[in-house]
Amino acid sequence: MAVSALILLSLVAFAASQQAEKVVVGFYSEALCPGCDQLAETTMNKAVKELSSIFTLDLVPWGNAKLVNKRFECQHGPTECVMNALTACVLYYNKDISVWWEYVVCTEAHGYKQTISTAKECAAKSKVEWDPVYECHGSALGYKLEMAAHNKTMALNPPHTYTPWVTVNGKHLENTQDLLTTICTEYKGTDKPAACSQAHKFVEASIEICKR
């Protein structure tokens, strides 16, 4: 029994040495910014598909919006505010990244043509239950979720000056081209996915930022 217990403890210790805390990536985004669309569809999507075992993604749908007299004013107009709120509600009701990320990529693929109709189509495609999300986005809950996104964005240090704004373990990543390699470098476990060995070869297309 003593030998068996010792072997078990050794196996647990070995497993712990292989794994480490996941890297935390913050993606501060706004629905109608071209750069946010581009990043979501390319670099960030590749990270989610290939490196999700070693990082968690914190998507914050606020971007360059402003809070004016307790009302939201978005950089690209009222539709962007609606789409940001819908995303916040999708995140609230869906904790599985494989579900909510598919919704995000689908909506971002519509670029400036995003509407409630395209969001509904993307919800169906990604298996997101639409009715509670739709009810949420214009409700007190939707307002609360967007206020949380506002507060988290305003707490950035240094303050964000454009979107998409990306952080890795709380530190601003100036060049999103380096996202994959940075995630792999920041992860301290020995169980890194095979994609880490090829991360340095990834070439990102030009990202069109939206200045604050």
Side-chain angles (χ1 to χ4, degrees):
M1 291 290 291
V3 174
S4 298
L6 183 59
I7 292 174
L8 179 60
L9 287 172
S10 298
L11 290 173
V12 170
F14 176 76
S17 70
Q18 297 292 301
Q19 298 177 338
E21 288 189 8
K22 286 188 174 184
V23 177
V24 179
V25 174
F27 182 10
Y28 296 80
S29 177
E30 57 186 7
L32 301 185
C33 173
C36 296
D37 300 345
Q38 294 157 0
L39 185 63
E41 293 181 70
T42 56
T43 310
M44 196 65 74
N45 193 42
K46 187 174 180 66
V48 171
K49 298 298 184 185
E50 298 181 0
L51 304 177
S52 60
S53 64
I54 63 171
F55 88 100
T56 57
L57 179 58
D58 182 18
L59 177 63
V60 185
W62 179 262
N64 296 326
K66 297 178 180 178
L67 184 63
V68 181
N69 296 324
K70 298 184 179 181
R71 296 175 64 87
F72 305 146
E73 292 185 2
C74 293
Q75 186 172 38
H76 301 97
T79 297
E80 183 167 69
C81 286
V82 170
M83 300 306 295
N84 286 347
L86 285 169
T87 297
C89 292
V90 168
L91 293 170
Y92 177 79
Y93 285 113
N94 300 272
K95 304 306 180 185
D96 184 347
I97 190 172
S98 67
V99 174
W100 66 257
W101 181 249
E102 184 176 354
Y103 167 86
V104 169
V105 173
C106 178
T107 55
E108 296 287 24
H110 289 280
Y112 278 115
K113 296 181 180 180
Q114 291 180 55
T115 62
I116 289 179
S117 295
T118 61
K120 185 176 182 179
E121 292 171 6
C122 289
K125 180 180 178 181
S126 57
K127 304 299 189 293
V128 166
E129 190 175 352
W130 175 250
D131 288 346
V133 168
Y134 181 73
E135 292 173 7
C136 164
H137 91 279
S139 70
L141 174 58
Y143 185 89
K144 178 181 178 181
L145 296 174
E146 274 298 273
M147 277 301 302
H150 162 270
N151 293 340
K152 185 173 286 189
T153 303
M154 293 303 103
L156 282 168
N157 185 20
H160 83 288
T161 54
Y162 58 85
T163 57
W165 189 266
V166 175
T167 61
V168 179
N169 285 342
K171 298 179 181 179
H172 177 224
L173 182 68
E174 292 188 12
N175 189 354
T176 53
Q177 162 76 42
D178 299 329
L179 178 63
L180 305 181
T181 54
T182 303
I183 291 173
C184 292
T185 300
E186 287 290 314
Y187 183 69
K188 304 308 179 184
T190 57
D191 57 330
K192 295 182 180 181
C196 280
S197 64
Q198 301 296 316
H200 66 285
K201 296 181 179 180
F202 177 71
V203 178
E204 179 182 81
S206 178
I207 296 295
E208 183 182 345
I209 65 171
C210 295
K211 293 184 178 180
R212 189 176 176 185

